[in-house]
Amino acid sequence: MGQLPKGQIPSRRSVASKEPRTYAPTPKGIRVGAFVQAKFTDNLSTTPTDIQTSFMLTGIPDIGISFIMPLEKEYNTWSIGCDLGYTGYGITHDRINILLGGITMPRLIGSRTYQAMMLVPKIFYHAVYAGIGIGLPLGGNATRTVPGQVVDIPAFRALGDTETFRIQPSAMPVIFEARFGADATIYRDESQEVLIGAMVSLQLNTMPQDHIGSLSTFAPRMIGAGIRLSYGFTIGQ
């Protein structure tokens, strides 16, 4: 840079700091970690006219391990990954009672919960991903009101006796579902990161068919949405 004429005051631009701004670098190696996820699920399949289903917060959160491997050396635009862990599903179901005057009132019949060990291969574009889940069934439970013990007055519905049935793993199919989600960074440095994310899932097949009451039957097909917290550390940089 040439010298300024004698007596001339240097401009702000000429003395501006040349120090580069710093950012937490994106880990470039394989990221290995663990996750926990709270999830709601609901039924998408057609139900009999006298049955309504409602969403449920699965009791035990999804939990498992994960890994992500970049497909590029310089940038993490595209990556592949996989989750392996426990996952749960659940719905409540109501039978509709037709009262005098055509007024309808739902009456709690019970709930169904299902559990599986889920493997989810995924492909990432930046922080957005899509994947296919393959679930090995672990069984489940179904609860329902004992016939003849149902109380029709809403305030006293909980007084109806209930019974619980175990759904054996052999009665459940292998679960297939599509998963879509995105992650946002809470903390990151050169070797580790903490992420929070959102996920939606859509079951591609159905759960086993089961009878509600004496006549109605349907096979649930699950849709889910969850909030996920994960931690990962990088190896092989």
Side-chain angles (χ1 to χ4, degrees):
M1 178 183 296
Q3 292 185 352
L4 296 172
K6 185 176 180 180
Q8 181 175 341
I9 300 174
S11 67
R12 289 182 178 271
R13 174 174 295 181
S14 66
V15 296
S17 173
K18 300 298 184 179
E19 295 181 1
R21 299 180 64 183
T22 59
Y23 300 90
T26 301
K28 293 296 192 294
I30 298 174
R31 192 179 78 224
V32 180
F35 67 87
V36 61
Q37 177 173 262
K39 187 172 68 176
F40 288 90
T41 55
D42 202 350
N43 169 56
L44 274 183
S45 67
T46 302
T47 60
T49 55
D50 61 337
I51 295 293
Q52 287 183 344
T53 59
S54 302
F55 70 88
M56 174 186 286
L57 174 65
T58 58
I60 302 175
D62 293 3
I63 188 169
I65 58 176
S66 63
F67 87 89
I68 298 176
M69 182 178 70
L71 295 179
E72 303 161 296
K73 292 183 178 180
E74 297 299 327
Y75 303 99
N76 282 358
T77 304
W78 292 96
S79 304
I80 58 173
C82 188
D83 291 343
L84 176 64
Y86 166 90
T87 191
Y89 307 86
I91 56 170
T92 62
H93 38 75
D94 304 318
R95 182 166 55 197
I96 305 302
N97 295 323
I98 300 178
L99 305 181
L100 294 177
I103 300 175
T104 62
M105 181 182 68
R107 181 177 65 191
L108 181 64
I109 294 295
S111 63
R112 305 184 200 182
T113 59
Y114 309 92
Q115 296 84 41
M117 183 63 66
M118 184 70 69
L119 176 69
V120 188
K122 301 187 289 188
I123 184 166
F124 291 80
Y125 179 72
H126 293 290
V128 179
Y129 66 84
I132 294 292
I134 305 169
L136 180 67
L138 300 176
N141 292 287
T143 64
R144 69 186 68 157
T145 304
V146 176
Q149 300 295 323
V150 178
V151 180
D152 288 330
I153 301 174
F156 297 98
R157 289 178 199 163
L159 297 181
D161 294 335
T162 60
E163 54 185 355
T164 301
F165 302 88
R166 175 65 181 164
I167 302 173
Q168 297 298 326
S170 59
M172 293 176 57
V174 174
I175 299 169
F176 296 96
E177 67 179 23
R179 288 197 177 192
F180 306 93
D183 294 319
T185 303
I186 298 177
Y187 170 81
R188 172 183 291 161
D189 61 25
E190 293 182 351
S191 62
Q192 60 186 340
E193 60 184 358
V194 179
L195 304 173
I196 188 169
M199 180 277 302
V200 294
S201 62
L202 175 63
Q203 188 178 357
L204 303 178
N205 56 349
T206 61
M207 296 298 185
Q209 193 173 74
D210 186 31
H211 290 276
I212 303 299
S214 58
L215 298 176
S216 300
T217 183
F218 73 103
R221 179 177 173 228
M222 297 296 187
I223 185 173
I227 300 295
R228 166 177 171 140
L229 184 67
S230 61
Y231 167 80
F233 60 92
T234 303
I235 59 176
Q237 296 189 67

